[in-house]
Amino acid sequence: MRKISPARNSRPFDYAQPGDRLHCGKVSIAALARRHGTPLYVYSGDQIVERLGMFENAFRGRNHLVCYAVKANSALAILKLLAGRGAGFDIVSGGELERVLASAPEAVGRVVFSGVGKTAAEIDRALETGILQFNVESEAELELLAARARRMKRRARFALRVNPDVFAETHPYISTGLREHKFGIDIRRAPEIYRRTARSKWLEAHGISLHIGSQIRSAQPFGAAVERVSRLARQLAGEGIALKTIDAGGGLGIDYHSRAFDAAEHVREYAAAIEKALGGFEGRLLLEPGRFLVAQAGALVAGVLHVKSNGKKTFVVVDAAMNDLIRPALYQAHHEIVPVRRRSGRARAVDVVGPVCETGDFFARDRKLAPLEPGDLVALLDAGAYGMAQSSNYNSRPRAAEVLVESGKARLIRRRETMADLLAVEST
Ligand SMILES: *Cc1c(COP(=O)(O)O)cnc(C)c1O
């Protein structure tokens, strides 16, 4: 994708004048931190809705459905917000299905179920609730699906998740579209599998799906992958197997570094590449964006506990840690860090670290930041995707609270865990 020049702040966090305090819309981050404590996740519901609108707009000429990838951020309030705007969901577990049912049961007919290891119990529950489509990742899974469908006397709509063997430039842990990856079925085997199921009473060949990876910044690999599956869909249609959906997966990336990121333009380029690749396909296009809808809407707010020097290096120890946001430790990911109260003074290179007993527990290394003191607050930006969703209780740390800001109003959507919550499920 070409570099975007307009200086548009792609984040919903900004310094309000006067006072130089970080705000999310009209809501003061410092006030939220005082009220709910830190570490604290803050999300802009307005930006999430705006991002969904960018997809709706870019694909408005086509029969399509945006199925938000729940795993990026599975907060019930966010699922409800998106379902209310017409979104469907891409789930990867029975647990995520229960989250959709708990927040927006009316949207269950807009759910696609992905994942390489679905269990019989998960399949049964999804059949019973009437999801839109199973994205099947192996022949063994398709057999299991047929067996469960027969048992439940419910016809199962499936799409084969094919592996288009397209390379997408991203971190190796989140690249999924090559033959060497565990995901999907070799696209060369797919036609035979569709033919075999054509007469099945319990399986309906409903669509074809792919997902080539995450945090992909160029539109080109999406176009290449969709072109391969739409060619296959045309071939199958010629044989009398008319698929109703092409699922182009998720994976559209954001810019974690720059403020000037034109999100709408990115979606338009992505849409253009997919449109071109779809050719004359007349069915429904499914899209599974996760990160793109929620990442930049969220920040993780942390308090500075200590500033310590060991001769060469300065460490800013904050009260958030890798258990709250693991992306830097897991993917060497970059998150911008900004002070909640803008500070003057010369920036110097520091490491921003958490209290967890792991050298990998850092948020930034040799990052130039204006001087910070104990008691200050900082915000880690672009933390709305794969932040809270990947959090854990490592080091017996209760998980953070979450706040959603919508049209100038903030509300707590998840209270901070207590030690009593953690201990309740254990016995000695
Ligand atoms: C993770 C995942 C997505 C979402 O990926 P993003 O990079 O967050 O857009 C979509 N579809 C499937 C099958 C996934 O596994």
Side-chain angles (χ1 to χ4, degrees):
M1 251 170 232
R2 72 189 156 78
K3 284 271 170 281
I4 306 298
S5 50
R8 256 189 79 169
N9 187 5
S10 56
R11 302 181 175 117
F13 299 94
D14 230 326
Y15 292 98
Q17 298 295 337
D20 270 353
R21 299 285 207 282
L22 195 70
H23 280 64
C24 178
K26 291 194 180 65
V27 177
S28 152
I29 299 299
L32 289 178
R34 262 196 310 276
R35 172 133 188 234
H36 302 290
T38 51
L40 177 70
Y41 274 99
V42 179
Y43 309 113
S44 162
D46 300 326
Q47 180 175 90
I48 294 170
V49 168
E50 183 189 44
R51 290 282 167 106
L52 176 65
M54 289 174 190
F55 275 81
E56 299 300 352
N57 201 31
F59 289 98
R60 68 183 177 279
R62 163 160 313 262
N63 177 5
H64 73 278
L65 176 65
V66 174
C67 295
Y68 165 66
V70 172
K71 77 174 189 282
N73 186 323
S74 57
L76 297 181
I78 290 176
L79 302 187
K80 186 168 178 191
L81 179 69
L82 286 165
R85 299 293 193 291
F89 298 101
D90 170 51
I91 60 167
V92 292
S93 72
E96 290 187 351
L97 176 58
E98 296 306 327
R99 284 187 169 274
V100 172
L101 292 167
S103 56
E106 72 286 356
V108 76
R110 304 196 296 264
V111 167
V112 299
F113 192 173
S114 305
V116 292
K118 301 179 191 76
T119 66
E122 287 174 319
I123 290 172
D124 288 358
R125 180 78 169 134
L127 282 170
E128 172 188 87
T129 55
I131 66 163
L132 177 64
Q133 167 179 304
F134 291 85
N135 287 352
V136 169
E137 305 226 10
S138 66
E139 291 178 66
E141 184 192 327
L142 192 60
E143 273 173 41
L144 177 63
L145 180 61
R148 300 320 294 182
R150 179 183 307 121
R151 205 154 169 272
M152 306 270 301
K153 303 214 170 7
R154 297 259 180 138
R155 196 144 193 254
R157 289 176 291 270
F158 77 92
L160 293 186
R161 172 168 173 185
V162 297
N163 190 322
D165 202 29
V166 162
F167 177 71
E169 178 90 49
T170 184
H171 190 279
Y173 287 5
I174 50 177
S175 173
T176 57
L178 283 178
R179 214 164 279 146
E180 71 201 56
H181 296 136
K182 72 178 175 184
F183 301 96
I185 294 170
D186 190 330
I187 191 164
R188 295 167 302 184
R189 287 194 51 71
E192 182 212 315
I193 301 171
Y194 280 113
R195 278 178 215 125
R196 237 192 301 135
T197 57
R199 280 179 307 280
S200 163
K201 183 168 172 205
W202 298 109
L203 294 176
E204 177 189 343
H206 189 255
I208 186 161
S209 76
L210 64 92
H211 172 70
I212 55 174
S214 197
Q215 183 51 13
I216 298 165
R217 295 290 311 279
S218 152
Q220 188 273 333
F222 294 109
V226 171
E227 195 173 312
R228 284 181 200 179
V229 300
S230 66
R231 203 183 308 143
L232 179 55
R234 260 196 310 280
Q235 179 195 332
L236 291 168
E239 299 178 21
I241 302 170
L243 300 178
K244 296 192 179 77
T245 62
I246 288 182
D247 182 341
L252 187 60
I254 59 150
D255 190 334
Y256 281 95
H257 290 263
S258 162
R259 285 162 66 85
F261 168 74
D262 190 335
E265 178 63 18
H266 267 61
V267 180
R268 280 194 292 272
E269 289 182 17
Y270 168 79
I274 289 179
E275 277 299 326
K276 183 156 175 266
L278 282 174
F281 178 71
E282 284 182 352
R284 191 180 208 190
L285 172 68
L286 306 181
L287 300 152
E288 303 172 350
R291 184 191 314 270
F292 201 88
L293 297 188
V294 295
Q296 299 206 284
L300 173 59
V301 183
V304 175
L305 297 174
H306 311 289
V307 178
K308 77 178 239 188
S309 271
N310 73 353
K312 279 204 200 72
K313 271 185 121 65
T314 302
F315 297 94
V316 175
V317 185
V318 297
D319 61 6
M322 65 188 289
N323 74 295
D324 301 299
L325 177 65
I326 203 173
R327 297 189 68 260
L330 191 58
Y331 315 115
Q332 294 79 47
H334 174 94
H335 285 271
E336 287 291 318
I337 300 176
V338 297
V340 168
R341 180 161 60 95
R342 201 132 61 166
R343 284 196 156 262
S344 51
R346 210 154 65 91
R348 52 183 181 153
V350 298
D351 282 16
V352 179
V353 302
V356 162
C357 301
E358 298 263 354
T359 304
D361 183 27
F362 62 87
F363 292 123
R365 285 186 160 151
D366 297 319
R367 184 74 61 85
K368 284 222 154 154
L369 294 178
L372 288 164
E373 288 170 15
D376 284 354
L377 295 166
V378 294
L380 290 103
L381 301 179
D382 306 330
Y386 306 106
M388 187 64 176
Q390 291 198 61
S391 66
S392 76
N393 294 119
Y394 189 39
N395 277 211
S396 285
R397 289 168 53 86
R399 272 176 295 179
E402 295 179 292
V403 163
L404 184 66
V405 179
E406 278 181 280
S407 2
K409 284 215 168 58
R411 75 192 155 96
L412 188 67
I413 58 168
R414 181 184 169 117
R415 69 162 169 81
R416 185 174 305 285
E417 273 176 353
T418 64
M419 267 323 289
D421 293 328
L422 268 61
L423 295 177
V425 293
E426 288 189 45
S427 45
T428 54

